[in-house]
Amino acid sequence: MLITNTESDARLAVTAAQAGAAVVRDMYGTTLARYEKSAGDFATAADLAAEKAVLGVLRAARPDDAVTGEESGHTGADGAERRWLVDPLCGTLNYAVHTMLVAVNVALRVGPRITAAAVADPFTGEVFWTDGERARLRRGGVDEALTPSPGSRLVDVNLDPPFPNAPGFRAVRLLADPEFAECFRPRVVSTTLAVAWVAAGRRAAYITDGRVHDSVHFAAGTAICEAAGSVVTGIDGQPPHTGAGGLIVAADQRTHATLLDMVERQVRAGR
């Protein structure tokens, strides 16, 4: 059977994410050195070791591709046509206090598009992935289609800084909106694993502020959601990576419209 380039890249993304997830799983619960990055942010030895494992897989298979790693930074030309975006342990704060809510994110941007991506959960063994067209969940070596659903009414709200759209918009204020309480139930998972959960029907939506273009945190999850048929925009309803930035990732148009209306009311009130 002929394997296309995007299918080959998607398989590589899955393999690389699984390699990082194995490291994260094996180092869980051990005493880990911490490396300060900025105020309130740090990496652990597991972050570094997982990124090394992911990059080892990618560089062995695609030595000419550029890479952006959360911990190691940029390699390759700034304007490279093909660039891998790697977040080896999304949810470091969770992991450091022995909370099993983390993800390993691997995405490939070719030109302006994410054409392959994988999000691995080290502790369930699940891998959410896309080849840019299909969105699948791999579990126990078997792939199944991802189907978004608003049925849970659970909306994950990212409360981590930075907040570039404050004071006009603050995600935390959504939680005090009476309509939000009527329509949804908030969750704060503190890892972009929750973005992939929107594609899988485990979350109705995910909201974050911030600049998300070429983000190692968000690229993989949003690509999977788009391929699954979720609605993905910035917090102003514009296409991702334009306008005000941020993300509203919703299982369906109705959920997206409801959340977008709440955000727009908040922004108008803050003017």
Side-chain angles (χ1 to χ4, degrees):
M1 180 177 65
L2 179 65
I3 297 175
T4 67
N5 287 339
T6 54
E7 288 174 325
S8 177
D9 287 335
R11 292 184 181 190
L12 180 58
V14 169
T15 299
Q18 288 175 322
V23 173
V24 171
R25 185 171 56 251
D26 290 346
M27 295 182 73
Y28 179 77
T30 63
T31 302
L32 298 171
R34 294 192 182 190
Y35 305 92
E36 296 298 325
K37 297 166 65 174
S38 61
D41 190 19
F42 61 88
T44 70
D47 295 72
L48 273 62
E51 182 161 304
K52 182 178 180 180
V54 172
L55 297 189
V57 171
L58 296 178
R59 286 172 175 157
R62 303 286 191 273
D64 296 328
D65 287 359
V67 177
T68 297
E70 166 76 359
E71 310 307 334
S72 59
H74 300 278
T75 61
D78 287 343
E81 178 73 5
R82 290 172 55 92
R83 178 171 294 276
W84 293 90
L85 306 170
V86 176
D87 185 354
L89 204 173
C90 187
T92 298
L93 287 169
N94 288 346
Y95 187 80
V97 294
H98 299 175
T99 301
M100 294 181 181
L101 287 171
V102 301
V104 177
N105 298 322
V106 178
L108 173 64
R109 176 177 56 73
V110 179
R113 292 185 60 241
I114 301 298
T115 59
V119 175
D121 182 333
F123 300 107
T124 65
E126 295 179 326
V127 184
F128 307 84
W129 65 272
T130 182
D131 58 7
E133 302 294 336
R134 303 169 297 163
R136 297 288 185 266
L137 170 60
R138 181 164 299 177
R139 183 166 40 198
V142 177
D143 288 332
E144 60 185 77
L146 290 173
T147 305
S149 169
S152 71
R153 301 175 65 204
L154 301 179
V155 174
D156 214 280
V157 182
N158 180 22
L159 303 181
D160 291 336
F163 309 115
N165 288 293
F169 168 73
R170 282 189 178 273
V172 68
R173 291 211 298 266
L174 284 175
L175 307 183
D177 187 317
E179 186 181 357
F180 188 97
E182 291 174 6
C183 297
F184 305 115
R185 293 293 177 265
R187 291 293 183 271
V188 182
V189 174
S190 298
T191 169
T192 54
L193 180 62
V195 180
W197 286 350
V198 177
R202 302 176 190 178
R203 288 290 187 271
Y206 179 96
I207 300 174
T208 186
D209 198 357
R211 306 304 180 195
V212 298
H213 177 65
D214 264 6
S215 169
V216 298
H217 308 297
F218 298 106
T222 54
I224 292 165
C225 285
E226 289 178 323
S230 304
V231 183
V232 181
T233 71
I235 59 169
D236 54 1
Q238 299 302 308
H241 321 314
T242 65
L247 285 170
I248 301 177
V249 182
D252 63 349
Q253 288 285 355
R254 182 176 181 179
T255 300
H256 182 272
T258 301
L259 289 167
L260 180 60
D261 182 62
M262 292 180 200
V263 171
E264 289 176 341
R265 289 203 312 266
Q266 183 184 132
V267 171
R268 287 196 301 269
R271 287 173 179 165

